[in-house]
Amino acid sequence: TKVQSKCFLDMEGENDRDRVLSSFARVGDGAAGPTDVEVQINRLVEKFLPEVDLLFESIGYAIVRCGTDLGHKAPIYATIAGLLTVSESRGSELLANYIVQAIRNYVTQVLREGNAARVRQGLRLMAGLVTARVVAPQSLASWTEDLLRASEAERGESARPSFHARRAFLLDAVITSLPWIAQATQPHLQERWDKIFNSAMTIVDSYVDQPGTPWESFAPGDSSIAVMVVVQAKEAVEEMHERQSWTCGAIIQPHLPFVERLQNGRQLETMELVIPPHSKTSRYSPPRFRLLGLQVESSNGMEQNGIEGDGSTSSKKEKSKCDRFVLHELVSDILENFSSHHMLAAEKLLSLPTPFKPDEEIVEEIISKMVAFPYPTSVEAYYAVVAMDLCRVAGSTVAMVLLTAMDAVFAKASALDPEAFDRMTNWFSHHLSNFSFRFNWHDWKVYALPEAPLFQSLFCRDTLGGCSRLWFVENVKRQVNIPELESLFPPLGETLPWPDDKNLIDQILPMITGRGHLSPPEVDRRLKELLGSRGISENLLFLMRAILHASRKTFSHFDVISSRYMSLIRDYIEQEGEESARAVVEEVWRFGRLVPEWIDYLISRLCSQGLLQCSLAISVVLKNPYPDSSLLDVFISSSVWSHLRLLFGHAWTRVQVAKREVSAIAREASRATEAEMDRERERLENARKEVLNSTTSLEELILLCMRGMLELHRNVRRMDHLGPDEERAKTIVKWRILGFMDEIGRKGTELWKVEQAEPVIESEEPSAARERLFRAARLCNCDVISLDPALD
């Protein structure tokens, strides 16, 4: 579970545990330098040292809880633990044993949960406890060796490249903790550390050096902009090894002023780490990638941030690879642990206890998390709001660093995965709209020219399209006020997508709106009188058109009117069958194409009301017989792919909700009395049926999408005799099709089987589509694949 930001602020006086936890959570906050940190540590130790005998459990709990939930301050809590356990008193002995057992239990539990982020935080606190001489270095070395052996044991013997979720999870947990482990253990266990280092480097090399492995689908871009986090960690540790310097400047060392007091620490041996075996219910964190190289080299340096790694005053110097990696990880911890409080997250980022100014790493990590696959750990809006908070702080340089990063992303737009591309343009649109569209728009005039770079021009077009959906085209044009950018704005849609039926719709509107609106039976009767013998299907179409037209200016109108006549719409659909439902989807789609700011909302509402089947809606989009003249115009738009993504997300969410419901009912059934058992058994059986039904629907949806993508790719590939603009559009559409096939694979993990892929593909299909198809199939059919996007 993630820390709830306010929990440490509202606990004082409730009980001893909460009082201790609240005091510990604040230590190190607002420190002006290493001396200030030393003073705060001394003050806290003096306060609780007399109470150790009575409160050792509460103090131990606070140290482990804060040291993991507030991982950026883990060295501080480890130092406090060392100072409180160094004495010979009975309470200090009990506290030391409690901490050692608690951290082992914690790491075992998060290993069972498959949460790599929490495992990393546990190992980093363990490294701090070794440095503070609470735990023996041999214990941390043994844990590291156990995790490395476990990750190698999951490698398997298959000659076919495959993605193994458990192996990726274990490697992420242990390899990304090596800088902390090296700093804590290498000075004491040089030969043993050398063996650990060599083993770790070999395992990482064997893991990443497999061309065509399905985990490439999780990369938000190609190797010029995106790097796997375990590779970044490997390079950081290799740099430490080459320099034979095992101290990383970005890892604070608050224990240095207390070295003499900690000299006689207990250095307890911990029990062997228990790594839970895999089970059918196991869920693992997906592999992590980062977008790097978003800053110019001249901005890479040490600033006077008040806290030096070794407690000394150092002049400005470049960050090493290890420093940058550690800063990225600390920023990641803060973003994840404070996801319930964006303002507190921004505050912690700006006061990160490190000798470096981490603005570049903050920006790179925020952007990387926004484009994390298959889904961001927190909602995209959270990272967007944190970025806005950081830009609004007086004196902050984050805004300029963010601008530099966006320039780098813009320059490498062609290297991005289509979904990452869309997330970036969507976020940038929201960011600009929150700052009154203040931007160097004149720089974009060159990208409105016909010969402009393809993907940069698309980035400008999609960003302005996103701004227009938020503020409407006319308003954004007035704000930008550059006529040369006119061609980059989306065209103005018609006021009504059914101009020939305007008179009929105008007659229906008074029946369903205003104070004089009629009841559903009365509307049914009036529609039959108005439309005569056209039939129920026409009644349904004109009713939907009138509802859409009446609610085109505000979402609330659609909610009110559609809810009022939902029973009538359902009756029409039940009488006419699937064809009438398809007709409704086509009307919504036609309306949404002309009013794109509406379509996502309409899809969400109709899906939640059960009127819209995801598979039917997707088939309408993909199997519509578009003429060649409009095919490229439809599928070059990012909004179309956003709608497909939304529909797929609804089907995926249905599966997750059904699984959670089964777990909840199973827990209730385990506590049921004998009289309640029959009822609980029936509820559990119904919940399991819903899991089966939703999973089957999602499997069918995945297959439908793959077939649709292949057919669409085939149709686009066969288009010839095109003009320059059409050729550019063809390139973008093919890029989007292949990207969506990768997206289906990484989001359909654990569902789609490779056997289903065989009949779909045809011998004439080009190698690019074939590669994406089988990569997605391997991803969904690998050895022990169980990804949970809700975890890091």
Side-chain angles (χ1 to χ4, degrees):
T1 55
K2 296 176 183 174
V3 58
Q4 297 298 314
S5 308
K6 294 184 178 181
C7 68
F8 296 139
L9 307 179
D10 301 330
M11 288 183 170
E12 291 189 1
E14 293 183 8
N15 53 52
D16 286 337
R17 172 172 285 193
D18 294 344
R19 176 177 64 86
V20 173
L21 185 62
S22 179
S23 297
F24 272 73
R26 291 182 171 88
V27 68
D29 288 348
T35 303
D36 197 6
V37 173
E38 178 185 353
V39 169
Q40 291 190 38
I41 291 175
N42 264 323
R43 186 181 300 128
L44 192 72
V45 171
E46 290 173 2
K47 176 180 179 180
F48 286 103
L49 189 59
E51 301 182 77
V52 167
D53 289 353
L54 295 176
L55 300 178
F56 71 89
E57 287 188 0
S58 297
I59 294 173
Y61 171 81
I63 288 172
V64 175
R65 173 79 184 277
C66 293
T68 52
D69 282 349
L70 305 174
H72 59 290
K73 296 191 294 183
I76 294 176
Y77 295 112
T79 300
I80 293 171
L83 294 172
L84 290 175
T85 58
V86 74
S87 72
E88 297 297 327
S89 69
R90 176 62 175 166
S92 294
E93 180 183 359
L94 292 172
L95 175 60
N97 288 324
Y98 182 96
I99 292 172
V100 168
Q101 185 62 37
I103 190 64
R104 177 179 175 273
N105 292 342
Y106 173 85
V107 174
T108 301
Q109 177 61 32
V110 292
L111 280 169
R112 181 176 291 107
E113 294 171 358
N115 192 333
R118 309 301 282 174
V119 177
R120 291 193 297 271
Q121 291 165 0
L123 292 176
R124 292 168 193 169
L125 178 58
M126 182 73 168
L129 294 172
V130 170
T131 302
R133 303 181 73 84
V134 178
V135 176
Q138 293 86 347
S139 296
L140 180 57
S142 296
W143 285 18
T144 306
E145 292 165 344
D146 291 342
L147 288 168
L148 288 172
R149 278 194 296 270
S151 67
E152 187 66 1
E154 301 292 347
R155 183 175 181 180
E157 301 298 331
S158 174
R160 174 176 57 82
S162 62
F163 173 71
H164 199 303
R166 181 174 171 84
R167 187 182 184 211
F169 151 70
L170 291 171
L171 278 177
D172 188 4
V174 64
I175 300 298
T176 58
S177 302
L178 286 181
W180 286 264
I181 296 171
Q183 183 166 301
T185 61
Q186 197 279 339
H188 308 285
L189 307 168
Q190 296 183 16
E191 292 185 6
R192 192 170 181 181
W193 165 253
D194 287 342
K195 293 180 180 179
I196 291 174
F197 170 80
N198 293 329
S199 174
M201 299 303 102
T202 301
I203 292 173
V204 174
D205 287 340
S206 68
Y207 175 64
V208 300
D209 292 342
Q210 295 186 64
T213 49
W215 54 254
E216 292 174 353
S217 300
F218 288 89
D222 64 25
S223 57
S224 68
I225 191 172
V227 62
M228 205 171 192
V229 174
V230 293
V231 174
Q232 187 192 10
K234 172 181 177 287
E235 293 174 352
V237 178
E238 284 179 330
E239 181 189 61
M240 298 174 78
H241 186 264
E242 290 172 3
R243 293 188 289 111
Q244 286 298 300
S245 173
W246 302 101
T247 300
C248 181
I251 302 176
I252 61 171
Q253 301 185 60
H255 70 284
L256 291 178
F258 307 101
V259 169
E260 291 187 7
R261 291 170 61 182
L262 296 171
Q263 193 64 36
N264 297 320
R266 296 180 179 274
Q267 292 192 304
L268 298 177
E269 292 274 358
T270 63
M271 295 176 62
E272 180 182 356
L273 182 64
V274 176
I275 302 177
H278 174 77
S279 70
K280 291 183 179 180
T281 60
S282 297
R283 295 291 180 270
Y284 301 113
S285 306
R288 293 188 297 156
F289 285 81
R290 282 201 177 104
L291 298 184
L292 298 180
L294 305 185
Q295 304 300 325
V296 293
E297 292 298 323
S298 60
S299 67
N300 183 19
M302 177 174 281
E303 307 289 345
Q304 295 302 319
N305 197 37
I307 299 179
E308 301 295 339
D310 57 1
S312 63
T313 302
S314 66
S315 60
K316 186 173 180 178
K317 62 180 181 181
E318 286 192 354
K319 300 172 188 172
S320 66
K321 290 182 179 179
C322 186
D323 294 329
R324 282 182 54 78
F325 172 74
V326 168
L327 290 174
H328 275 117
E329 291 293 282
L330 296 178
V331 171
S332 176
D333 287 349
I334 291 175
L335 287 171
E336 299 314 313
N337 289 335
F338 291 93
S339 59
S340 62
H341 199 312
H342 63 89
M343 294 181 67
L344 197 55
E347 176 189 330
K348 297 300 180 184
L349 289 172
L350 292 175
S351 60
L352 188 66
T354 174
F356 296 96
K357 190 171 184 179
D359 287 4
E360 295 92 343
E361 289 74 23
I362 289 172
V363 169
E364 288 177 343
E365 195 64 22
I366 288 176
I367 293 176
S368 298
K369 286 190 174 296
M370 277 196 289
V371 298
F373 293 153
Y375 297 97
T377 309
S378 300
V379 294
E380 293 174 52
Y382 162 68
Y383 302 111
V385 173
V386 171
M388 287 189 288
D389 291 340
L390 293 169
C391 291
R392 286 175 171 142
V393 173
S396 170
T397 59
V398 170
M400 290 305 300
V401 176
L402 185 62
L403 179 62
T404 303
M406 283 307 302
D407 286 343
V409 170
F410 182 74
K412 298 180 179 180
S414 60
L416 291 173
D417 177 274
E419 185 182 9
F421 185 98
D422 289 345
R423 288 191 196 175
M424 289 304 302
T425 56
N426 183 54
W427 162 73
F428 198 41
S429 302
H430 281 81
H431 191 80
L432 292 172
S433 71
N434 279 276
F435 289 92
S436 302
F437 300 102
R438 293 193 298 271
F439 185 64
N440 299 325
W441 296 110
H442 288 279
D443 293 346
W444 280 15
K445 288 193 291 187
V446 65
Y447 300 106
L449 301 175
E451 64 275 11
L454 180 58
F455 287 91
Q456 282 72 23
S457 178
L458 180 66
F459 192 97
C460 299
R461 192 181 308 277
D462 285 355
T463 298
L464 287 172
C467 293
S468 301
R469 285 194 295 273
L470 294 168
W471 274 50
F472 297 103
V473 177
E474 300 90 339
N475 295 336
V476 179
K477 284 183 178 179
R478 282 196 297 270
Q479 291 285 337
V480 174
N481 195 26
I482 299 179
E484 292 86 346
L485 298 183
E486 181 72 27
S487 62
L488 296 178
F489 281 93
L492 289 173
E494 302 175 30
T495 56
L496 187 66
W498 314 281
D500 296 339
D501 299 321
K502 187 176 186 304
N503 290 335
L504 284 173
I505 292 175
D506 287 343
Q507 295 180 58
I508 298 172
L509 286 175
M511 304 180 197
I512 63 174
T513 60
R515 294 184 178 180
H517 66 267
L518 305 179
S519 65
E522 189 65 20
V523 169
D524 180 34
R525 185 182 64 79
R526 294 287 298 275
L527 284 174
K528 291 176 180 177
E529 294 176 357
L530 182 64
L531 299 175
S533 60
R534 294 195 185 192
I536 292 177
S537 60
E538 287 294 303
N539 293 356
L540 173 62
L541 289 184
F542 276 93
L543 177 59
M544 283 301 302
R545 289 172 181 175
I547 291 174
L548 292 172
H549 184 56
S551 53
R552 68 190 183 281
K553 291 185 178 180
T554 175
F555 294 156
S556 61
H557 286 180
F558 178 79
D559 290 343
V560 172
I561 300 173
S562 63
S563 299
R564 184 182 298 152
Y565 298 104
M566 187 58 60
S567 60
L568 182 58
I569 296 172
R570 290 185 192 279
D571 288 343
Y572 284 158
I573 292 177
E574 288 175 2
Q575 293 179 52
E576 290 295 302
E578 183 176 326
E579 285 304 314
S580 63
R582 178 179 291 274
V584 169
V585 173
E586 289 175 348
E587 293 302 323
V588 171
W589 178 246
R590 189 184 308 172
F591 180 80
R593 284 193 62 200
L594 296 174
V595 193
E597 58 268 22
W598 262 95
I599 188 67
D600 286 351
Y601 182 79
L602 289 174
I603 289 174
S604 296
R605 292 296 298 167
L606 293 175
C607 283
S608 64
Q609 292 169 347
L611 284 181
L612 184 61
Q613 297 297 322
C614 296
S615 57
L616 179 62
I618 288 180
S619 67
V620 167
V621 177
L622 296 182
K623 296 185 177 182
N624 203 319
Y626 303 101
D628 288 351
S629 58
S630 65
L631 179 65
L632 296 178
D633 291 338
V634 171
F635 287 98
I636 196 175
S637 170
S638 61
S639 61
V640 176
W641 300 95
S642 172
H643 310 332
L644 293 174
R645 215 168 272 137
L646 181 62
L647 289 164
F648 192 88
H650 274 288
W652 183 88
T653 300
R654 181 188 169 194
V655 174
Q656 305 310 310
V657 170
K659 289 182 176 179
R660 287 196 293 269
E661 184 70 12
V662 167
S663 299
I665 294 176
R667 286 193 297 270
E668 293 177 11
S670 65
R671 299 189 296 267
T673 63
E674 186 175 350
E676 299 170 332
M677 281 304 299
D678 289 342
R679 178 174 60 86
E680 295 298 325
R681 191 179 295 112
E682 182 179 358
R683 289 182 62 209
L684 187 58
E685 184 64 27
N686 291 335
R688 286 172 175 163
K689 287 180 181 178
E690 173 59 18
V691 170
L692 179 61
N693 292 337
S694 60
T695 302
T696 302
S697 298
L698 185 53
E699 289 176 343
E700 294 172 352
L701 190 64
I702 292 170
L703 198 56
L704 172 67
C705 287
M706 278 299 183
R707 286 186 175 130
M709 289 300 107
L710 287 171
E711 181 65 25
L712 185 60
H713 188 271
R714 185 179 302 115
N715 292 337
V716 172
R717 183 171 53 88
R718 289 172 178 169
M719 297 174 67
D720 52 12
H721 306 298
L722 301 176
D725 290 343
E726 288 78 11
E727 284 291 348
R728 289 163 64 90
K730 179 178 176 180
T731 300
I732 292 173
V733 172
K734 288 168 65 177
W735 167 72
R736 286 198 173 278
I737 292 169
L738 298 178
F740 196 70
M741 293 174 77
D742 271 341
E743 185 177 341
I744 293 170
R746 60 180 172 257
K747 291 180 177 177
T749 300
E750 196 186 10
L751 293 172
W752 195 43
K753 305 303 180 186
V754 71
E755 301 83 48
Q756 293 175 312
E758 302 284 359
V760 179
I761 201 159
E762 297 181 6
S763 58
E764 64 180 50
E765 204 58 45
S767 59
R770 179 183 290 110
E771 176 192 348
R772 301 304 175 96
L773 177 66
F774 281 103
R775 186 160 76 183
R778 291 197 303 271
L779 181 61
C780 298
N781 191 43
C782 44
D783 301 328
V784 192
I785 189 66
S786 298
L787 286 180
D788 187 347
L791 299 176
D792 177 16

